[in-house]
Amino acid sequence: MDTGDRLLTPGEVAALFRVDPKTVTRWAAAGRIGSIRTPGGHRRFRESEVRALLEGDGVIEEMREDDAANKPRNNGPSHPGPGYGPPNGLR
């Protein structure tokens, strides 16, 4: 099934959207952008679909905002144990 569409790597897509490649992978896992898997299990993205998303009105900003809202915050351990904090019991 050759559609003549070039396949892009997550890094190539990330460069176009100006995001981290892991963000592109999260978008694919969430179904926000279509992807196919190579026989080795790597994700690839159809260039035509990526270009269509880039040309879409506000779609990318919505995807970025959604991604930022769902990003976990690291506030440290909720119950630090005795090994957490300054050394030698200095508090």
Side-chain angles (χ1 to χ4, degrees):
M1 179 177 121
D2 183 18
T3 61
D5 205 2
R6 184 168 168 249
L7 296 177
L8 304 175
T9 66
E12 291 171 322
V13 175
L16 291 170
F17 286 113
R18 297 187 189 134
V19 297
D20 189 88
K22 288 189 183 261
T23 299
V24 175
T25 301
R26 280 194 300 272
W27 289 346
R32 295 178 185 163
I33 185 171
S35 68
I36 62 168
R37 296 283 188 142
T38 66
H42 300 279
R43 289 188 191 272
R44 295 294 181 264
F45 303 87
R46 287 186 174 83
E47 185 176 28
S48 60
E49 183 179 348
V50 171
R51 297 280 178 199
L53 282 171
L54 280 169
E55 294 168 7
D57 233 359
V59 173
I60 300 310
E61 289 308 315
E62 286 176 27
M63 290 168 72
R64 284 185 180 151
E65 289 170 11
D66 287 349
D67 200 51
N70 293 326
K71 188 174 186 178
R73 305 286 190 257
N74 185 1
N75 295 325
S78 57
H79 301 288
Y84 184 78
N88 301 325
L90 302 174
R91 299 215 186 245

